[in-house]
Amino acid sequence: MKPALNVLLTSAIAVVTTAMAGQLSMPPGFTVQSDPETVLRAYPLGVITKQSAFSHHGKAIRTLILPNGKEGWVYEVGIKEARTYENPTKQKHTVYETEQGNGVRTYTLEFDSKGVVIDVLYNEQGRHDGLTALQVQRRFRGEAPGKQ
């Protein structure tokens, strides 16, 4: 009886510790008010799983396969205009549209084969095009772009 209780207690402690560790490493949210470089610098790479990303950021607007063959989840924040269209059967559909250059920011989570975020790609119309979390974090640590 006592060994079973010890195993149960040890398992409970492990679950609580794991849950608390997951909460401590949660990434910053994607918002219009957040500075993109600050978000990319603070994003914990190699820690966040797909389940954690979904719980924290919600459902991505789309998923895609990136040029390097990795899976990406795309999130957009910014100005979106609701428009309602009527199809030939008179059924109405509301969609949220954005136009280029209106302040929409796109963050794409890049997952490795184990389903862990290994990079965050950021884009917008303007001077921040093409930043990644890896680039920002390496620059912040003072590493050269080619070094690993």
Side-chain angles (χ1 to χ4, degrees):
M1 174 89 168
K2 203 167 194 175
L5 186 58
N6 285 340
V7 169
L8 183 61
L9 185 58
T10 304
S11 297
I13 291 171
V15 168
V16 169
T17 303
T18 302
M20 288 176 66
Q23 289 176 352
L24 295 175
S25 63
M26 273 294 115
F30 303 137
T31 66
V32 175
Q33 295 81 16
S34 301
D35 174 52
E37 287 194 37
T38 303
V39 171
L40 295 174
R41 185 175 50 236
Y43 208 95
L45 301 177
V47 178
I48 305 299
T49 63
K50 285 183 179 180
Q51 182 178 358
S52 295
F54 181 81
S55 295
H56 187 69
H57 298 296
K59 184 178 180 188
I61 63 162
R62 68 180 177 276
T63 61
L64 49 85
I65 301 299
L66 298 167
N68 63 1
K70 306 282 185 193
E71 181 179 2
W73 288 4
V74 179
Y75 294 90
E76 286 183 349
V77 295
I79 302 168
K80 296 180 183 182
E81 186 177 322
R83 293 191 184 170
T84 302
Y85 294 96
E86 190 174 298
N87 66 17
T89 63
K90 303 295 183 197
Q91 186 177 13
K92 292 184 178 182
H93 296 278
T94 300
V95 295
Y96 294 89
E97 297 180 345
T98 61
E99 295 188 21
Q100 282 190 318
N102 70 351
V104 174
R105 297 175 173 178
T106 303
Y107 294 90
T108 303
L109 300 180
E110 180 182 347
F111 294 96
D112 67 7
S113 60
K114 296 177 184 175
V116 176
V117 177
I118 57 172
D119 203 0
V120 181
L121 315 175
Y122 170 76
N123 261 333
E124 75 175 53
Q125 290 297 111
R127 69 180 187 88
H128 291 293
D129 267 356
L131 284 179
T132 72
L134 281 174
Q135 287 173 326
V136 172
Q137 291 176 17
R138 285 180 178 162
R139 186 175 64 220
F140 184 72
R141 290 189 306 254
E143 296 177 14
K147 293 183 181 178
Q148 286 188 332

